[in-house]
Amino acid sequence: MKQGKLAVAVAIVVLLVAGAALATTTVSKDVTDTSVQEENVKCVNCHLKENNAMVQQWKNSPHAAAQDGQVGCYNCHAAEPGEPAAYMHEGALIRTLQSPRDCAFCHEQEVQQMEKSHHATAGQIMASLDNVLGEIVCSMESKAGAASGCWQCHGSVVKVLKGSNGKALLNENQAVMFDPATYPNSGIGRLNPDGTQGSCTACHGRHSFRSSVARQPENCGKCHLGPDHPQMEAYKESKHGIAYYTAVRERGMNAMNILKSGKWVLGKDYYTAPTCATCHMGATLKSDGSVTANTHNVGDRISWNLRAPISVKLNRVIFADGDEADIPGDIAPQVGQERKYKKYVMTNGEWSKVDAVGEVIEVKSWEMRREDMQVVCNQCHGVQVIGNFYKQFDELVVTYNEKFAKPTKKLYEMAKKEGLVSGSLFHTKLGWQWWEMWHHEGRRARHGASKMAPDYTHWHGLYDVAENFYHEFLPELMRLAAEHDKLPLFEKAVDDILAKPEHQWWKEGFDASVMKSIRDEQKTRYKQ
Amino acid sequence: MKQGKLAVAVAIVVLLVAGAALATTTVSKDVTDTSVQEENVKCVNCHLKENNAMVQQWKNSPHAAAQDGQVGCYNCHAAEPGEPAAYMHEGALIRTLQSPRDCAFCHEQEVQQMEKSHHATAGQIMASLDNVLGEIVCSMESKAGAASGCWQCHGSVVKVLKGSNGKALLNENQAVMFDPATYPNSGIGRLNPDGTQGSCTACHGRHSFRSSVARQPENCGKCHLGPDHPQMEAYKESKHGIAYYTAVRERGMNAMNILKSGKWVLGKDYYTAPTCATCHMGATLKSDGSVTANTHNVGDRISWNLRAPISVKLNRVIFADGDEADIPGDIAPQVGQERKYKKYVMTNGEWSKVDAVGEVIEVKSWEMRREDMQVVCNQCHGVQVIGNFYKQFDELVVTYNEKFAKPTKKLYEMAKKEGLVSGSLFHTKLGWQWWEMWHHEGRRARHGASKMAPDYTHWHGLYDVAENFYHEFLPELMRLAAEHDKLPLFEKAVDDILAKPEHQWWKEGFDASVMKSIRDEQKTRYKQ
Amino acid sequence: MKQGKLAVAVAIVVLLVAGAALATTTVSKDVTDTSVQEENVKCVNCHLKENNAMVQQWKNSPHAAAQDGQVGCYNCHAAEPGEPAAYMHEGALIRTLQSPRDCAFCHEQEVQQMEKSHHATAGQIMASLDNVLGEIVCSMESKAGAASGCWQCHGSVVKVLKGSNGKALLNENQAVMFDPATYPNSGIGRLNPDGTQGSCTACHGRHSFRSSVARQPENCGKCHLGPDHPQMEAYKESKHGIAYYTAVRERGMNAMNILKSGKWVLGKDYYTAPTCATCHMGATLKSDGSVTANTHNVGDRISWNLRAPISVKLNRVIFADGDEADIPGDIAPQVGQERKYKKYVMTNGEWSKVDAVGEVIEVKSWEMRREDMQVVCNQCHGVQVIGNFYKQFDELVVTYNEKFAKPTKKLYEMAKKEGLVSGSLFHTKLGWQWWEMWHHEGRRARHGASKMAPDYTHWHGLYDVAENFYHEFLPELMRLAAEHDKLPLFEKAVDDILAKPEHQWWKEGFDASVMKSIRDEQKTRYKQ
C-alpha cells in the first residue's frame, strides 16, 4: 500500500469536503480517520450477525492486519454521491459493487498493469464467435447460457436496473438493484458501471483478498480449463505441477512458502516448483542478485498466441496516447509506425467497440517477451534445456499450423466460396468441425506443449486434430462437394494437400517393414 | 453417541440375556462390559498380525477414542443367532457385513435421516434405464458391468450364498460367503440382507469412520462425478472449490478446521469455504446466534431435480405412515391430500418395488428447501447476490428445458409413434442422442450452473446440447423421416420449433453487422 | 546407499587413477574425497547465481543431507573421457545428461530392478501403433508430435549432435549439444547415449530426488492418465484415492507419513491409504512380522495385461542369460522351456529391436504375481473381500474380452480379408473405431475395474464400448459391406454374434414388464 501518497491525498481532500465525510469516498480511504473507523465498527457489528463467515474472512485478511491502519468495510465500500450504484444504508452512502478504480487507490501499480493486460479485455467479447455461441446459440432471450457460462469468466456488462424515471431501482433493503443476468459476476474483464474494465475479485476473492490464493493454480483454473483451453489440466500433469502438488505435505524450505505476506520471489522465498503465477506474473531472483518485478500484465511473457485458428507471434506495443495492444507477427512493429487496433469505450453508460489507430512509441517484441519468461526458467534449468524446450514447443505449434490448420482453413474458405456451406461456423457440420479443430483440439495440443504436458499435446491434442482432419472434415467436405457437383474441383484441392510429405502416409501407407514389425510385436507380446 | 439411551438399553437387556453375552448384539453394544472388552482385545491381538493397517485405522479412530468407553470390534460385529450373515469365529458369533441398523444403535438420528433420504433409495435402480444399461447392455450373465460399475455407487442387493439345504455356505475360514458380484460393495443405497437400505461406509470409510473424511469433497466425488453428473468437477472449478483447495496449506483460522471432532459449524468453526457437506448437510450459525441442525437427509435443501430429462421442482412430503417421498411440481401438495409414490420392500428375503398411496401429513415445499439452502449462502453473501444467483440458475434450467429438452423429447416421442424408431433409447442412434442430451450434456449444464461452474455450464453443457440438437439429433431425425417417407410431417414439426425466437439464428443467421465485426476483429488480432 | 561397496571401489580406483581425479567418474563418486568436495563447492558457488532454485533443490535434498558424506554436483556429473556427452566445463570434464548407470553406483539394486521392468522398455516403441501415430500421423519431418507427446512419457532416443568430423557439436558455452527433438526428455524408458535404458528422473525429479515425491500418485499421473489409460483418474475416484486425499490435512498417525526418510512400510509407517507406489512397488508388513521388500520392477504384482486389444494373463520369466520378459497365457511357461521374446540393443550407437530366444530358468506366474499384490491388500482387507474383489475384476475383463473385443476384432479382420478396408487402423473409419474401442474405451473399463473406480469402469468404459460396438462399428461395417456387395456374408457373421445370449437385447428388446416399470417410475418421479 502506498501510505505516503494516501496521506497527502487525504490531507487535501479533508480540507475540501470536511463535514461530509460519510458520503465521500476519498476521505473514507483514510484508514486513520476515527469517524471512518467508527463506521467500520458499525458495519462489522451488524454483519457479524447477518454474514458471520464473510466478516471472519475479512478479520483474518491482510486488510484487517494492515500495519498502518486497518482497511475496513467503509474504507472500500463508501460511495460518492452520483455514483450509479450508490445508495444510503444505515446512514452511510455506500455501494456493494467494487471496481478496479476503488482498489487502485491503494494498489495503483497493480491495477494499471492489469488494465493494460489481456485479462482486462476479456469482457470485450461482444464481437466474437464465442459470444455468439453463448448469447444466441445456447441461450433464449434471457441470455442465461452466457450469464451462467461465458460471462462468469469473461465478465458481464454490469447493469443497474432503472425505473421509468431513470433512477436506479431499490430492493426491499433499499439497495440498488442489478440486472440479475449481469450480477453476481466476477469475470476478470467485467465492464463496470463506473466505466472501468476488470474485476480484482476474479483472482483476489472476497473478503480475504489474499495473494496466497492468487498464487495457487486452482485460482487460475476457474477459467483456464476445459475442452477449449485446458491450461490447468496441462499444468497438473506436467513436471511443474507434480513438483507443486507433491510438496503439499512438505514443511519448511521444501514447501512452497505460499502463505508468505508481501513479495514471493522465486529462488529466494521458494524454489520447489513454479505455479501459473510464478512464470506468468511472478518475481524472480536474477543471477546478479537483483529481483525482477512481478507484473499484473499477465500476457507479458507470452510469445505465441495459442488461441487463434492459426498461431501467431505476439508483439506488445504502447501507443502515443498510452493505449497498449498486441500486434501479431514474426517481425515486431517499429517505434514511429502506425498500427490499427480495437478498443472498448463507454459513452453515456453504454459500451462499444471502436477502431483506433495509434503511433507506436514503445515495442516489446515476442523475442523480448520470451526472454522475460526464460529468466524464470533459468532459475531451475540450464540454457540448453530452455532453448531446446522452446524448439520442441515451436515445432509443435508449426506442425499444428502447417500440417492441419492452414490446409483446413483454406479448404473451409473454398467450401464457403463455392457454396458448399453458408452461414456461420455453427450453421454446418463442416463449420463446426473446423471450429472444434482449432478452438478445442488444436488449442489443447498447443497449450499442452507449452506446459510440457504430453497427454494433452498428443491424446487430447494432435491425435484429435488428426482424426478430425482425416476422418471427419475431409469426408464431410467431399460429401458436400459431391452433393454440389463440385467433386473434381475439391478432389484436386485435397489431393494437392495430401501430396505433401507430411500427408504421404494417408495414400501410400506406412513402411511395410514397420507394419510387419508391429504385427510381430503384437504376436509375441499378447499372442493375438 | 447417545450414551444415556445406551446405558438404559444395556441395563434392560443385560437382565434379559445374562449368560449369553457373546451371542447377543445388544449386550455387545455395552462399551463398559468387561467381557465384551476382553473380546475386543482378543480380536485386536490377532488382527494386528493379519491386517495391521485395518486395526491401526480403528486405533486412531473416534471409536477407539470414545470418552465413555471404547467402541471395539465386537461392539459392532457381534451377531444375533439367526441373522442371515452370522457365523462362529474364534468362539464368538459375528458378522463381517454391517448395516445401518447396527450403526443406528448409537447414531440413531443420523440413520433415520439417511433412511428417509434420496441416498437410501440409490439401490432401487431395478426399474431404471441406468440399470438396464449396466446389467444388460454392458454385461453378460455375470452382470460384471453392473457389479464393478453401477452398483459400486448405487449399492448392490447383497446376497448370502446358500447351499442346497438353504443354509449359508461357509468358506475355508468358516465365514459366511457372499455372492462375489454383490460384495464387496459399499454403494450408498445398498440393499442389505437384514432388510435395511443404505451403507454408512459409503461416506464413513472403514475402519476410521471419521466425519472429517465425509466433510471433504473427495468423499462425495466417488460417485458424484463423470460425464453424467459432474458435481465434483463443477465444485472444483467454482469459487467455492477454489477457496477450499487454496486453503489446504493454511493454518489456524484461515484453514478449514476440518479435522475438528464433533460439530462443525459454518460461521463458527470455519468460514473460509463451503464443501459439499456444508451446503447440503452442514450446520450453520444463524443471524440470531442459534445454529441450524445438520442433516443426513442429503436432498433436504435441493429445490430442483436436475437429473430428469426435463427439470422439475421438488417438494418433500411426509405421509401418515411415516414414509417420505419427493413429489415434483411448481406447486407443492397440501396436507391432507393423497399422493402416489414408489417404495422398495423386502419380502421373504427378496426385494421388490411396490406402488404406494399415502395421505400427506407434512410438506416441505421446494421454496422451503431453497430457503434452507439460502441460510447457508447468507453466511458469506448478501441477499441480493443470493437472490440474483438463483435467478441466473433458474433461467439456465428453464433455457435447457424449453429450448432443447422439451422440443427434443416431443420429436423423439413423435418418431416413436410414427415408427421411425422402435425399442428402447439404446436401440437406435436417435434414442441414444436424446439420452445423452438429457442424461449427460443437459445435466452437465444444469449441475454446472447450480455450482457456479461456467466451464461445465457452457462447454461441457449447453454447448454440447446445442451441437447435439442442431447437428446430430435433427439431421438423424430427418434422415429417418425420409427413410420412412414421412418427411413432410417431420419437416413441419421441426419448422414449428425452429420458428421460435430462440432458434431463429438457425434459419436466418446472425446479424450481419455482428458477423462483420467478428471478421474485422480476427483480422486485426490475428492477421488471418 | 551402499557405503561399504563405495569405499572399496574408491580405494581401488584411487590407486589406479591417482592424479587425474577430475576426469574420472569413479573417483568422483568418493563423497569423502576433499578434491571432489572442493569441486562441488565450486559448482555450487557459481550455479547459486545462475540457477539458484536448482541449487536450493539440491541443498534440501537427501543427497545434500547424506550422513556418510554429501553427494554433490561433481559426484554425479563427472564424466569419463570418451563418453559421448562429456565436455570440459570450468576445468572439469562433466556431462549434464545422467543415465541409470550413474545412479546405479549407489543405488544398484533399484536400478537393476528398474532395468528388468516394463518401465525400462517404454522407449522401445519404434515398432508400435502408438509410435506410428505420434511420429507420422501427427507429425511432420521434425517429429514434433512425438517429441512433445509420446516421447515425453515413453522416452526419446537421446542424440548428441555431431559435426561433419563425427565429433560432438558444442554450443556457445562449450557444452555438448543434443538434438532438441530428443532432449530435454525424462521419459521413463529413455534410450541413453551410453547404451542404457531408462531415466530415474522420470520419477525422482531433479534436483531433489526425494522418494517422497515418487510415493505420491501425482508423480505416476504424469503418464498414467488420459483417455487411453486413466489410472490416475481411476485411483482418484476410488475409495483408496479418497482415503489418501482426505488425509492431506491430517497430522500424526492418521497422516500418510509420506515425507519419511528411508523405508516406508505399509502397516508400520502408515496405514491410512495406499498410493500407486504402495500396491505396485511398496514394502508391506506381513502377518509374521517380517516386511516384504519393495521393488522397482513395477509390473511385478500385475496379473492381467489390461492394455492389449484382448486382455491376457501375464507370466514373468527369467532366461538363462539374465534377460527377463513377460510371457502371456493362462498357463505359465515352465522352467527348461524355450521362449521367444524381443529386446532392444545398441550397436555402434544405434538402437534396434531384435528377436531373441531363451531358456526359461525361473518363472513368476500370474498367480504368483497376484499373490504378491494380495499381501498388500491383506493389510486392510479380509481374504473374502480380496478374493471377491478379484472375481469382480476378472469378470469385468472377461466381459470386455468376450462380449465386445473378440467379436469386434474378428469382424475387423474379416473386413480386411474381404477388402472392405485396407491400410492400417488409422486409414479407415472402421479401423479407428476398433482402435478406440480397445485402446481407449476398453482400457478405461479394465483399468477402472482394477482400481475400484465405478465411473471409469462404466461411463468412461463399457458404456462407451457398447455405444461404439452397436451404434458405430456395426453400422459402419454394414455400410462398407453394402458398398462392396458383401452384405449377406457380413450379415451372417454379425447375426451369429448377436445371437449370443449377451447380445439378445439388441434384437429382442428388453423385458416388457421392465420397460413398463421404467415408464411408470418416470411418471411418478418426474411427472413426464
Side-chain angles (χ1 to χ4, degrees), chain C residues 149-162:
Chain C
C150 323
W151 301 345
Q152 292 297 323
C153 283
H154 286 272
S156 61
V157 181
V158 180
K159 281 214 178 72
V160 172
L161 289 181
K162 290 183 180 163

Side-chain angles (χ1 to χ4, degrees), chain B residues 89-105:
Chain B
H89 176 67
E90 303 289 338
L93 189 73
I94 64 156
R95 61 179 127 65
T96 47
L97 182 81
Q98 300 293 99
S99 87
R101 182 173 297 161
D102 305 311
C103 305
F105 195 88

Side-chain angles (χ1 to χ4, degrees), chain A residues 239 246 249-250 267 271 287 378-380 384 388 392 403 459 463 467 471 505 510 517 521 525-526 528, chain C residues 51-54 57 60 127 132 136-137 139 176 178 180 183 201-202 216 305 310 426-427 432 435-436:
Chain A
K239 286 292 236 184
T246 56
R249 286 166 166 92
E250 292 279 358
Y271 57 77
S287 55
N378 206 219
Q379 268 294 313
C380 298
Q384 184 172 186
N388 279 10
Q392 291 179 2
K403 180 163 182 176
W459 291 117
Y463 172 82
E467 204 266 343
H471 290 294
W505 74 276
F510 302 117
S517 165
E521 174 84 6
R525 254 189 157 159
Y526 307 136
Q528 56 197 244
Chain C
N51 323 95
N52 189 280
M54 180 206 283
Q57 286 161 12
N60 291 278
V132 165
I136 302 175
V137 179
S139 283
V176 166
F178 295 101
Y183 189 80
T201 55
Q216 296 185 52
N305 179 319
I310 295 161
F426 308 122
H427 278 89
W432 210 294
W435 157 262
E436 291 221 339

Side-chain angles (χ1 to χ4, degrees), chain C residues 112-130:
Chain C
Q112 277 179 356
Q113 291 169 341
M114 189 278 292
E115 282 178 336
K116 303 286 186 196
S117 78
H118 192 67
H119 266 165
T121 68
Q124 305 175 9
I125 50 169
M126 262 193 210
S128 84
L129 286 168
D130 295 81

Side-chain angles (χ1 to χ4, degrees), chain B residues 49-54 56-57 60 118 121 126-130 132-134 136-140 142 144-145 147-150 152-153 171 173 175-184 186 201-203 205 210 212-213 216 218-219 221-222 225-228 236 244 247-248 251 256 258-259 305 307-310 312 328-329 340-342 353 409 424 426-429 432 435-436 438-440, chain C residues 233 236-239 241-243 245-251 253-254 266-268 270-273 285-288 377-389 391-393 395-400 402-404 448-449 452-460 462-464 466-467 470-472 502 505-511 514-515 517-528:
Chain B
K49 287 179 197 141
E50 292 302 317
N51 323 96
N52 190 279
M54 181 206 282
Q56 296 286 351
Q57 286 162 13
N60 291 279
H118 192 68
T121 69
M126 263 193 208
S128 84
L129 286 168
D130 295 82
V132 165
L133 254 185
I136 302 175
V137 179
C138 298
S139 282
M140 301 177 78
S142 67
S148 291
C150 323
Q152 292 296 324
C153 283
N171 71 3
N173 297 325
V176 166
M177 290 175 76
F178 296 100
D179 176 351
T182 71
Y183 189 81
S186 58
T201 55
C203 303
R210 277 191 292 286
S212 63
V213 171
Q216 297 185 52
E218 282 75 12
N219 196 67
K222 184 192 159 200
L225 90 169
D228 60 327
K236 266 198 169 171
Y244 175 73
V248 68
R251 301 286 169 263
M256 289 292 296
I258 213 154
L259 301 177
N305 179 319
R307 286 174 300 112
I310 294 161
V312 288
K340 289 182 193 170
Y341 62 105
K342 298 263 182 190
K353 184 168 257 181
K409 187 166 191 281
S424 76
F426 309 122
H427 278 89
T428 60
K429 193 166 184 152
W432 209 294
W435 158 262
E436 290 222 337
W438 71 264
H439 190 272
H440 283 47
Chain C
E233 294 91 330
K236 266 198 168 172
E237 85 177 44
S238 75
K239 287 291 235 183
I242 294 166
Y245 285 106
T246 56
V248 68
R249 287 166 166 92
E250 293 279 357
R251 301 286 167 266
M253 278 311 287
N254 286 327
L266 176 66
K268 208 168 156 184
Y270 68 108
Y271 57 77
T272 299
L285 185 65
K286 293 184 73 172
S287 55
D288 61 4
C377 310
N378 206 218
Q379 268 294 311
C380 298
H381 302 288
V383 289
Q384 184 172 185
V385 163
I386 300 168
N388 279 9
F389 158 72
K391 282 178 195 150
Q392 291 180 3
F393 170 37
E395 282 296 344
L396 191 289
V397 177
V398 168
T399 298
Y400 162 77
E402 302 300 327
K403 180 163 182 177
F404 299 110
M452 288 147 287
D455 181 61
Y456 273 86
T457 306
H458 182 63
W459 291 117
H460 293 282
L462 283 186
Y463 171 82
D464 284 339
E467 204 267 342
Y470 294 116
H471 290 294
E472 294 171 25
E502 61 263 28
W505 74 275
W506 182 249
K507 297 227 160 157
E508 299 179 16
F510 302 117
D511 187 73
V514 169
M515 295 311 284
S517 166
I518 292 174
R519 280 193 305 274
D520 287 356
E521 174 86 6
Q522 289 272 34
K523 276 245 169 329
T524 318
R525 254 189 158 159
Y526 308 136
K527 283 194 183 157
Q528 55 196 246

